[in-house]
Amino acid sequence: MEIILTILVAFFAGMGAGLGTGFAGMSAAAVITPMLVTFLDIDPYMAVGIALSSDILASAVSAYTYGKNKNLDIKNGLIMMTSVLVFTIIGSYISSFVPSMAMGNFSVFMTFLLGIKFIVKPVMATKESMQVTEPKKRIIQSIVCGMIIGFICGFIGAGGGMMMLLILTSVLGYELKTAVGTSVFIMTFTALTGAVSHFAIGGFSNPLVWVLCIVFTFIWARIAAVFANKATHKTLNRVTGIILVILGAVIILFSIFFK
């Protein structure tokens, strides 16, 4: 019975995380971590490590799919990724001197609100409109925005994928598919860094849950990315918004009723 519960929890956690990653560049940690902690009683720190591990392949296959369809900005993605990684460390260091704040649900509420935003006010920018911004200005924007995202993620400890998607679409004016493709490209490397550091510090356990989450997240992320790249902008905005609202609402309910 225990093995069946493990498989079911991993399947639904992987499905939610994979759909969130493939459609919106969302971090798997927002879905997988609370489900593993709530239903399988896995140590929260270890659950985050498993979620980050699941993020690596899911983000990589999503980035490959978006890149194959020419919906990926590698140049500015690398620049932003560097800023994100550096300022995540800085934010994390500074947060160690600040009293603990009730910010744990930041990424969950952000997921829910961002989903509503995509439904009510869809991103209708095009690749042509993206070209209006000068390359030099885009580089500066990528560095500054990467610094902001990295610092917030390091200081609060959550919200990376959603922060990137919000800033790429709302501040940098990215077309939605390119924004998601660039976001999952960056997330591949940030998730790898986070997973390695988590297991190096906390050790490794629960190999079955680890493998199942990685496999299920990978499969659903691939399915979502393929669908997203074939969908129209209107459909993609709507589907992305609905998925984010559902995931946000479900995780909020978990935190309320199963805590």
Side-chain angles (χ1 to χ4, degrees):
M1 191 65 185
E2 187 177 336
I3 187 72
I4 295 175
L5 176 63
T6 298
I7 293 173
L8 286 174
V9 171
F11 175 79
F12 285 108
M15 181 173 68
L19 291 175
T21 299
F23 276 116
M26 178 178 154
S27 171
V31 179
I32 292 178
T33 302
M35 288 195 70
L36 295 186
V37 172
T38 301
F39 296 107
L40 299 182
D41 199 28
I42 290 178
D43 175 72
Y45 192 84
M46 184 56 59
V48 172
I50 292 172
L52 289 170
S53 297
S54 302
D55 245 341
I56 300 169
L57 285 181
S59 294
V61 73
S62 297
Y64 169 78
T65 305
Y66 279 91
K68 188 178 179 181
N69 288 275
K70 299 181 180 178
N71 293 316
L72 173 59
D73 185 356
I74 294 180
K75 178 183 175 183
N76 290 297
L78 287 170
I79 293 171
M80 183 178 286
M81 180 182 69
T82 303
S83 294
V84 169
L85 290 174
V86 170
F87 276 80
T88 295
I89 296 172
I90 294 173
S92 180
Y93 177 73
I94 293 176
S95 70
S96 66
F97 297 100
V98 179
S100 179
M101 297 180 294
M103 298 290 282
N105 292 322
F106 174 79
S107 63
V108 176
F109 287 106
M110 189 173 177
T111 298
F112 183 80
L113 294 176
L114 193 56
I116 294 176
K117 186 260 183 192
F118 279 123
I119 296 173
V120 177
K121 189 179 179 182
V123 177
M124 298 308 290
T126 63
K127 290 184 179 179
E128 289 71 26
S129 65
M130 284 176 59
Q131 303 304 320
V132 175
T133 305
E134 296 178 5
K136 187 178 291 186
K137 183 180 179 181
R138 179 75 74 194
I139 291 173
I140 294 173
Q141 288 177 328
S142 297
I143 293 173
V144 174
C145 289
M147 291 163 62
I148 295 171
I149 295 168
F151 183 82
I152 291 175
C153 293
F155 192 78
I156 297 173
M162 291 296 92
M163 280 293 296
M164 268 188 278
L165 184 62
L166 179 63
I167 286 181
L168 286 171
T169 54
S170 301
V171 179
L172 300 185
Y174 272 58
E175 172 257 348
L176 183 55
K177 291 181 183 179
T178 306
V180 176
T182 304
S183 178
V184 290
F185 172 73
I186 297 172
M187 287 297 294
T188 302
F189 298 96
T190 56
L192 175 61
T193 303
V196 171
S197 62
H198 258 72
F199 289 132
I201 295 171
F204 181 78
S205 62
N206 301 293
L208 176 61
V209 177
W210 180 70
V211 171
L212 288 173
C213 285
I214 289 175
V215 171
F216 289 136
T217 306
F218 174 86
I219 292 171
W220 284 102
R222 171 63 176 167
I223 292 171
V226 170
F227 177 86
N229 278 278
K230 291 181 179 179
T232 62
H233 280 80
K234 185 177 180 180
T235 300
L236 182 58
N237 272 276
R238 190 169 295 164
V239 173
T240 300
I242 291 172
I243 287 175
L244 291 179
V245 168
I246 291 174
L247 289 176
V250 169
I251 298 168
I252 291 172
L253 290 174
F254 278 165
S255 65
I256 294 174
F257 295 105
F258 295 99
K259 210 159 189 178

